[in-house]
Amino acid sequence: MEVKDQNEHNLEKKMLPPTTGTFQSREELLKHVRDFALTQGYMVSIRDSAKDRYVTVACDRGGVYRKRLKNGENMRQRKNASRLTNCPFEVVGKKDDDVWTLTVKNGEHNHEPSKDTSDHPSCRRFTEEEVLIIRDMSAAGKRPRQILKALRQRNPNLVSDSRNVYNVKAKIRRGSLSEGKKAEASCSSSMETMNTNGVAATVTQTQPMVHNSFAMSQAYVESKEVTETKALVAELCQHFYPLGWLSGTGGSITIRVHDGSIPRQHQLIVMSPSGVQKERMVADGMYVLSSDGFIMSTPSLKLYPYQPPKCTDCAPLFMKVYEICNAGAVIHSHGLEACLVTMINPFSKEFRITHMEMIKGIQGHGYHDELVVPIIENTAHEGELTESLTEAMRAYPKTTAILVRNHGVYIWGDSWISTKTQAECYHYLFDAAIKLYQLGLDWSSPNHGPLRSINGLWGCSGNSSRGPKVGTFGLDYMIEPSQRCLLLTIEGTVTPMSFVTDILFPYAHDNVQKHLAMTYDSEETQHDIDLLRSQIQEDLEQGVAGAVPIPPDYVGKELVIASLAANVEAMISTDRKVTSLKQLEGHIWRAGFQSNELVGVVFEDVPEALEKWHASGTKVYIFANGSREVQQLLFANSNYGDLRKYLCGFFDTTVGNKQVARSYFEILQTVGVDRPADMLFVTDSFQEAVAARAAGLEVIISIRPGNGPLPQNHGFRTIASLLEI
């Protein structure tokens, strides 16, 4: 913006400074200045401040643009002029004897009055309600554009844009981190004291972090209702410990504070801590949380050898149960029967039992009903279970329990009494199923008769595998496995390695910047960019070589695209197997196939082998690092025509890494194969072969020109052509 000469400016409409005077508070003074400035066509911002002494307020067009990018003399310049004009306007408020006095230091401006308030950042601030909406939609995984659309539906006059949403999201994220650090600091800040034996002991000093949601005060946290609930949790911990549900400091109990004067969704939550002896729990050893998960009160402290209190890692899961199921209490049990019942069938996603008396103790069930409990897979950290637990609750709205494989069970009810009763019934039923299984009886059938096929159903033995034969089979020695389906990789099995390394990768590398520029505003590319931002941020935190920061959108898409391209090119050069890269590569390759710049290259034996298997009724699936869309494009546009008619499905890294056994379990579940040995996996990779064998699959390694070497005595059968199967 052009800066006007002062004399020229005086000829135009003069913007007046606010009237001077005294004010009872700093906030009152600032409101007076801001409200008056808006009537004159300018806005102000705080330039300098000492909260209890003075505040300097200047025109928000004061100052000059500072170049932040240091790329030498040929650095890129701003395309748009800066809105800053080095305006000299300035007023000062000073505190004297508890009264704030406003004086005008310079009442002149060197720019025209604003015609549009959206020119001013201060007018693009969100209300507290809008900030809460941004927080909730961000937690739900919504992108800034989606959030902005929702906000504008509520307020058509909103002048904020997506960059303002980005800024609020960043502040919320920093706020969450800072709260986490405060909580961590409250548990780690300590002082040395002397115990009765004169030995130094560590006492942790904590400051409860009080949250003001629903006008909750510290006085209420110390009320009779909260105190009684804390005592009840301690009593239940002592009761469940001898049952083995809370042994080894594991497990947890949490109960809502029942208070008829407070809506259920706003009631406080009492939660037992982590890492403490549950049989020795007392009332003042509990955490108290607000309804939205903020810690309002921490446990009292104890001298050495007791550890500092820690809020359980299950807290996010408990809060999800309260939110989705409107529960009154939740128990997380590490009972052995809950762990073992998930191991009877390591591939099942459900536990089912019927015609057992104790089913009547489960909410909404009777004796003749079939009780179904979903099973989710365990993770290294309990907080990582939140997403799968949420999906299970939504998929099984009738359930009041979720099993975690090789771990335990989460059980809830509408009150602590209902939760306790159901927990006892669930554990009885889990134990009954285990004992019936040991007797060879079917707990899931009404008459509990003999299991029809223990081997077939549970994979206890299965047909024995033939001994490994190392080396390449000749065509006169045909492998005839008993598998019902095949799972093939692409690189080094179906296509030459050179097709991927010499054609596909270079094409993506050379076209990434062009692709992003041409499709930048599309929803698909924006989703790709969001995934890349997340991956790159993780790479930066872990110090991954080649990772460079991505600037926010408002600096201009050219800079964003250049930074993204630099990261993607670095990922391609190191052959990263991450979903964000593979998804973007897939979209670039799709454009190449559609424009006939790319043609899929497969080995000459592939079409004949696929046709032979198809004719025999053998189902064939593909598992590759590239996205499913790219896999289909490759087979649809191969040098032998469209081969998709011979294939039954495609899997990519969204089911998991190819070198991890769990990925193959997921594929077995999706395909509907009960016995892993009924699937034959063909790959060029030794690591993938090991992972698939660990999952129980039959495995053959493909030996093709250009494939990498195999370890000596690797123990796998090998082939040089798919026609050998």
Side-chain angles (χ1 to χ4, degrees), residues 58-95:
C59 176
D60 71 348
R61 293 194 173 183
V64 294
Y65 174 70
R66 292 177 295 127
K67 297 177 180 179
R68 295 176 173 83
L69 300 177
K70 300 179 180 179
N71 294 332
E73 297 179 358
N74 297 322
M75 65 177 288
R76 290 185 182 176
Q77 300 297 319
R78 291 175 58 101
K79 287 190 174 182
N80 299 320
S82 170
R83 62 183 302 279
L84 300 180
T85 65
N86 204 21
C87 179
F89 175 87
E90 191 172 276
V91 296
V92 178
K94 290 186 178 180
K95 184 179 181 181

Side-chain angles (χ1 to χ4, degrees), residues 62 132 174 179 203 218 263 328 340 342 404 520 586 675 686 690:
L132 291 175
R174 288 195 298 268
E179 292 294 352
V203 179
Q218 190 63 23
L340 292 179
T342 66
V404 182
Y520 186 81
R675 297 172 60 233
F686 173 72
V690 171

Side-chain angles (χ1 to χ4, degrees), residues 618-661:
T618 302
K619 295 181 178 180
V620 182
Y621 300 88
I622 302 297
F623 185 22
N625 291 317
S627 69
R628 291 180 297 173
E629 182 181 24
V630 171
Q631 297 173 36
Q632 294 184 57
L633 286 168
L634 188 152
F635 285 99
N637 300 275
S638 82
N639 50 337
Y640 287 92
D642 191 346
L643 301 175
R644 290 176 298 175
K645 60 185 176 183
Y646 301 124
L647 302 171
C648 296
F650 302 86
F651 297 93
D652 57 20
T653 53
T654 56
V655 302
N657 191 296
K658 291 166 66 181
Q659 298 182 10
V660 177

